[in-house]
């Protein structure tokens, strides 16, 4: 207390800081911002090719197949990343895929998916991916292949005719383009 019996500035500040809302709100905001930034950072990092390559380069030929494809890019075209094809662009669907994908990391860590057995498991995993593409009408393909990136007038006649009739045949992109980026796997 000051000489006149009034609290000092330090004492008033301390009383204010001791009030739950006065300190709780700034701390809560800080925690939310930090958590949001961490979350967004993980989303960005886990959508980079380097993240995908960190396991696949050690385990299989998927990266080499992708790098040999038109989707990898040739320096003149814009490449499609792993996430462009395998991670939905809408938030809720993206979160579902990210959560489900943690099982892949788990199976690699516990050794149920290894370099030795990957190719035998690959057909079932590929079928699952293709089924997803069919069920969502190849949304990942259509995200990039639209407008100027999918001008029917610039396509050869056979491709143009097939693309014009795709909906009436009840097909989607992977029905014809399965195996475009990764080798086509047939289940036995």
């Amino acid at each position: 207390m000051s000489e006149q019996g009034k609290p000092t500035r330090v004492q008033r500040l301390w009383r204010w800081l001791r009030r739950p809302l006065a300190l709780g709100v700034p701390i809560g905001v800080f925690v939310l911002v930090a958590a949001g930034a961490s979350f967004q950072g993980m989303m960005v990092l886990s959508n980079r090719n380097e993240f995908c390559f960190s396991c696949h380069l050690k385990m299989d030929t998927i990266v080499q197949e992708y790098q040999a494809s038109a989707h990898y890019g040739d320096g003149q075209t814009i490449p499609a990343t792993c996430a462009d094809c395998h991670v939905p662009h809408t938030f809720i669907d993206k979160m579902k895929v990210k959560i489900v994908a943690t099982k892949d990391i788990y199976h690699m860590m516990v050794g149920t998916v290894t370099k030795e057995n990957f190719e035998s498991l690959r057909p079932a995993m590929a079928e699952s991916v293709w089924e997803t593409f069919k069920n969502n009408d190849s949304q990942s393909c259509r995200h990039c292949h639209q407008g100027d990136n999918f001008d029917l007038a610039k396509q050869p006649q056979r491709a143009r005719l097939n693309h014009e009739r795709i909906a009436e045949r009840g097909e989607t992109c992977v029905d014809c383009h399965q195996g475009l980026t990764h080798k086509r796997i047939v289940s036995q």
Side-chain angles (χ1 to χ4, degrees):
M1 290 274 188
S2 68
E3 297 166 14
Q4 292 100 5
K6 292 183 179 179
T8 64
R9 286 185 189 180
V10 172
Q11 289 171 329
R12 284 193 309 260
L13 175 64
W14 180 245
R15 281 188 200 152
W16 183 79
L17 287 174
R18 287 184 16 200
R19 295 188 322 196
L21 278 180
L23 195 54
V25 169
I27 289 174
V29 168
F30 174 78
V31 168
L32 284 174
V33 168
S38 297
F39 174 80
Q40 181 59 24
M42 283 306 299
M43 290 298 101
V44 169
L45 287 175
S46 65
N47 276 350
R48 301 183 89 184
N49 280 354
E50 294 80 11
F51 179 84
C52 303
F53 291 1
S54 68
C55 292
H56 283 289
L57 273 174
K58 299 172 192 158
M59 169 159 277
D60 53 54
T61 60
I62 288 175
V63 173
Q64 293 84 352
E65 293 167 13
Y66 162 64
Q67 289 174 331
S69 77
H71 280 117
Y72 186 67
D74 58 8
Q76 296 177 359
T77 58
I78 299 171
T81 66
C82 302
D84 286 330
C85 298
H86 294 283
V87 180
H89 296 274
T90 59
F91 181 78
I92 298 296
D93 291 334
K94 179 187 298 189
M95 291 303 97
K96 288 178 186 175
V97 165
K98 295 283 186 178
I99 291 167
V100 170
T102 59
K103 79 172 175 12
D104 297 337
I105 296 167
Y106 168 79
H107 285 291
M108 287 185 66
M109 290 174 66
V110 299
T112 51
V113 176
T114 64
K115 185 173 186 156
E116 292 72 32
N117 72 0
F118 181 83
E119 288 301 322
S120 67
L121 300 172
R122 189 172 175 185
M125 291 186 284
E127 288 294 331
S128 174
V129 171
W130 293 328
E131 191 64 32
T132 298
F133 273 68
K134 288 179 184 184
N135 289 340
N136 70 21
D137 194 24
S138 298
Q139 285 178 356
S140 294
C141 302
R142 295 174 192 281
H143 183 80
C144 294
H145 294 279
Q146 60 179 323
D148 289 343
N149 289 333
F150 195 71
D151 187 351
L152 288 175
K154 293 180 182 176
Q155 296 180 359
Q157 182 180 5
R158 182 175 175 211
R160 185 175 62 250
L161 293 173
N162 279 324
H163 286 130
E164 287 171 348
R165 297 180 51 221
I166 193 170
E168 70 186 53
R169 291 192 309 251
E171 294 176 338
T172 189
C173 304
V174 295
D175 287 307
C176 297
H177 298 284
Q178 193 178 75
L180 179 69
T181 301
H182 302 294
K183 70 181 178 182
R184 186 174 179 149
I185 306 293
V186 180
S187 295
Q188 286 142 22

